[in-house]
Amino acid sequence: MSSPLPPPPPSRPRTPRPSGRGTAIVAFLVAFVLASVTTLAVVLVVDQVRGDRDDDRADEGRSEEPTEEPTDEPTDRGGDPVDVPELEAPTEPALAAAVSEPREDSVYPEVGDPGVDALHYAIDFSWFPEDDAFTATTAVTFRATTTAERFQLDLAEHLDVEAVSVDGEPTDAFEHDGKDLVVDVPVTADERYVVEVAYGGPPQPVDAPTTRSDFEGVGLQRSDSSDYDGWLWTMQEPYGAFTWYPVNDQPADKAIYDITVHTAPDWQGVANGVLTFSEANDTESVNRFHADAPMSSYLSTIAVGDYELTEDESDSGVPLAYWTPSGDEGILASIEETKDALAWVEEKLGPYPFDSLGSVVVDSESAMETQTMITYGNTGYTLSPEVIVHEIVHQWYGDKVSPNDWRDVWMNEGMAMYLQMLYEAETLDIDVDEYVRSYAADDQAYRDEAGPPADWDPDQFGTSNIYVPPGVMWHELRTQLGDEVFWAMTRAWPYAAGDAFVSTGREEYWAWLSEQAGGDLTPFLTDWLLGETEPRTTF
Ligand SMILES: [Zn+2]
């Protein structure tokens, strides 16, 4: 995730970073650093900062709750729905590009199932803020990877399944047990099926795999703050897409998406990809998005609220879409920094790997690199240029190439954090070596807290150990190999599989890096990523 850098404390004091080892830092540098202490400290909590600012609101919300029992029945809105065109079926080449090698996750084996290779999700989602529940129908086109008596998807326990069909045939042969939706229909290896599920329930997240008490959960969230009451958004790393659609919720399985969102007439639904249909009448507003680049489920996103759309284009010709709260010029001005941030990242990493780049601002305190539609929380930090750079870097590192197992989330965060460090150093006009050393000062503390960057405690997902030590590692590797070799490999890796959008693991990555470096990097990478002790730096 980009996101998730560890939530700021109560338990973690925002200690000013370069401290302790910085005795050689000259006075003006100290002044610079002190001036940016807030930035630096928050940097470490980048993407998934979830503070406790909502506690008061939550309390207020509770006291205002109506006394009658909430109902799951949608309100009768009267009027005719928008005439939405039939969804075009994905083409064969599109489905072929979405073939993945699903696997059981080594960190979170209970989520996802390697028997299913999802190829396409067609999600039709309705949310009207006066209701307590959303309703949805999702058709999943998948390839069975093995011959079996049944197959299963993830779908949150708090959602009700109304109907299931397989290849157009309704069936009662399913169980929704916990978060597992098990369909007792036999499947044959390498055959393709379409399972359609009608379901609904309250928009709410599930527990996040972290011990932090200030983490609000993962998945679909409903805002109850006064400015954004009833708005929906997601933060779902390492999982949680199953809180709004039936899914094989593991990052090795990439698929293409069509997401249609129905909401109140003056609201808008937003999702990954490009807007292909948009219409409203007195009854509802309907937006449809198409994401044609195969995507891991944790990178999918949906947001619903009173949005306005501003369009632009990058200097390199990428269409840019900004979905910001209607009338909020300040937020729009922040998010328009995307254009310069993308140009800065393209200078480092080469051409942007997707056909479009959107941004949607939500009532969160995190930011998340959701593919081609980045989700930004509405805080000064999550809307800052350095966080925008971080999330854009993820479109190469994390989205075009994704880890196939959560143990390797450092592959995403290390490079996003490293480029964020470079951007910050440049913006603050601080020597890069000095600046990265200031981050490195906490490396050992992060390892002690949650484990090595590639062998961490599963109950502490997304703490600083997956961000900062691998970020520092890249600077050390650059120092050892020189700029030419380092930047050539850094640009080449996201395209190592050509134009394909793939998930891969450390074995392939380490072998590839060694090849590029002209020598075996395994000892170096092992020390940095699996070591309990912070390796020595030479810069
Ligand atoms: Zn990140």
Side-chain angles (χ1 to χ4, degrees):
M1 292 172 184
S2 76
S3 321
L5 280 195
S11 55
R12 175 198 294 274
R14 297 187 180 191
T15 24
R17 203 117 318 161
S19 63
R21 304 180 183 188
T23 49
I25 297 176
V26 288
F28 81 87
L29 178 57
V30 171
F32 258 122
V33 167
L34 287 177
S36 60
V37 153
T38 306
T39 306
L40 282 173
V42 186
V43 155
L44 298 178
V45 285
V46 179
D47 315 332
Q48 101 184 0
V49 180
R50 301 181 189 222
D52 49 5
R53 84 169 173 181
D54 285 337
D55 287 359
D56 292 344
R57 296 169 182 161
D59 289 343
E60 287 163 18
R62 273 193 287 278
S63 65
E64 289 166 9
E65 271 173 17
T67 47
E68 64 264 29
E69 284 292 303
T71 168
D72 281 353
E73 291 303 311
T75 307
D76 179 9
R77 272 167 277 279
D80 293 327
V82 167
D83 189 13
V84 184
E86 187 122 341
L87 193 61
E88 278 180 41
T91 63
E92 277 302 318
L95 291 172
V99 170
S100 309
E101 293 176 36
R103 52 184 278 156
E104 182 167 281
D105 199 77
S106 71
V107 186
Y108 303 113
E110 69 281 8
V111 184
D113 188 84
V116 167
D117 172 14
L119 305 175
H120 177 235
Y121 293 95
I123 303 170
D124 191 278
F125 184 96
S126 296
W127 168 247
F128 292 84
E130 67 270 24
D131 296 340
D132 298 306
F134 71 85
T135 58
T137 302
T138 293
V140 186
T141 303
F142 70 96
R143 174 181 70 93
T145 63
T146 55
T147 297
E149 289 304 305
R150 58 189 61 82
F151 62 91
Q152 73 178 67
L153 294 167
D154 302 304
L155 185 67
E157 187 172 14
H158 64 260
L159 302 178
D160 289 328
V161 176
E162 284 171 22
V164 174
S165 71
V166 177
D167 291 339
E169 292 291 325
T171 178
D172 290 330
F174 66 88
E175 299 105 49
H176 189 200
D177 183 14
K179 66 130 197 67
D180 295 334
L181 176 63
V182 181
V183 181
D184 289 307
V185 170
V187 292
T188 304
D190 276 327
E191 292 290 312
R192 201 184 281 169
Y193 303 87
V194 179
V195 56
E196 185 171 297
V197 184
Y199 58 100
Q204 66 185 51
V206 295
D207 288 345
T210 166
T211 52
R212 301 190 71 100
S213 60
D214 52 349
F215 204 96
E216 291 172 25
V218 282
L220 186 65
Q221 319 243 356
R222 174 189 172 151
S223 172
D224 59 6
S225 68
S226 56
D227 289 346
Y228 302 101
D229 187 28
W231 294 40
L232 299 190
W233 46 275
T234 70
M235 287 287 162
Q236 54 194 26
E237 191 177 14
Y239 49 73
F242 62 76
T243 59
W244 57 285
Y245 62 98
V247 54
N248 189 28
D249 207 359
Q250 203 278 338
D253 187 0
K254 293 196 176 193
I256 52 178
Y257 284 71
D258 284 285
I259 302 176
T260 307
V261 188
H262 305 250
T263 187
D266 52 345
W267 279 22
Q268 308 259 7
V270 184
N272 309 80
V274 294
L275 185 64
T276 57
F277 174 82
S278 180
E279 207 170 295
N281 62 15
D282 292 343
T283 306
E284 62 171 353
S285 125
V286 182
N287 285 351
R288 173 175 283 166
F289 289 80
H290 175 67
D292 66 350
M295 167 167 83
S296 302
S297 54
Y298 78 99
L299 297 170
S300 63
T301 190
I302 191 170
V304 187
D306 180 9
Y307 283 107
E308 64 185 354
L309 169 63
T310 306
E311 293 177 297
D312 200 352
E313 188 177 288
S314 78
D315 294 341
S316 55
V318 178
L320 304 173
Y322 308 132
W323 294 89
T324 55
S326 289
D328 196 323
E329 295 302 320
I331 288 178
L332 177 60
S334 297
I335 217 70
E336 282 178 333
E337 292 294 322
T338 295
K339 193 170 177 174
D340 288 346
L342 178 57
W344 189 90
V345 177
E346 284 184 314
E347 202 180 298
K348 294 282 187 293
L349 297 182
Y352 178 70
F354 299 95
D355 293 336
S356 65
L357 176 59
S359 308
V360 60
V361 178
V362 304
D363 188 29
S364 164
E365 298 197 3
S366 287
M368 180 65 204
E369 66 268 26
T370 40
Q371 189 164 311
T372 69
M373 185 61 73
I374 298 172
T375 308
Y376 293 100
N378 179 14
T379 73
Y381 181 61
T382 49
L383 291 172
S384 68
E386 58 267 30
V387 170
I388 293 174
V389 163
H390 179 114
E391 305 307 337
I392 290 175
V393 171
H394 275 309
Q395 303 301 306
W396 284 256
Y397 279 84
D399 294 10
K400 183 168 189 308
V401 176
S402 310
N404 63 12
D405 190 290
W406 281 116
R407 67 184 189 157
D408 288 323
V409 64
W410 62 271
M411 287 167 48
N412 299 358
E413 299 306 342
M415 191 58 73
M417 199 67 231
Y418 181 49
L419 266 70
Q420 181 180 337
M421 290 179 197
L422 298 183
Y423 180 85
E424 289 168 352
E426 185 178 307
T427 309
L428 297 167
D429 197 21
I430 296 177
D431 174 75
V432 170
D433 289 345
E434 193 71 50
Y435 195 70
V436 177
R437 277 203 295 277
S438 73
Y439 271 99
D442 286 330
D443 180 310
Q444 189 60 52
Y446 298 146
R447 289 172 199 264
D448 292 346
E449 178 188 38
D455 186 20
W456 37 272
D457 175 0
D459 290 330
Q460 296 193 63
F461 180 81
T463 56
S464 295
N465 64 332
I466 62 165
Y467 291 79
V468 174
V472 175
M473 174 188 81
W474 290 127
H475 193 61
E476 175 62 20
L477 188 65
R478 177 182 167 188
T479 303
Q480 293 189 18
L481 297 180
D483 275 4
E484 195 176 333
V485 174
F486 175 79
W487 286 113
M489 62 166 60
T490 299
R491 281 168 167 251
W493 169 246
Y495 290 91
D499 290 332
F501 301 87
V502 298
S503 300
T504 191
R506 68 180 63 165
E507 293 82 5
E508 298 90 321
Y509 194 17
W510 290 13
W512 185 90
L513 287 167
S514 296
E515 205 176 293
Q516 304 300 306
D520 186 9
L521 289 179
T522 307
F524 174 90
L525 295 162
T526 302
D527 283 355
W528 274 95
L529 298 168
L530 295 171
E532 301 282 350
T533 307
E534 169 197 5
R536 204 172 63 82
T537 56
T538 61
F539 54 84

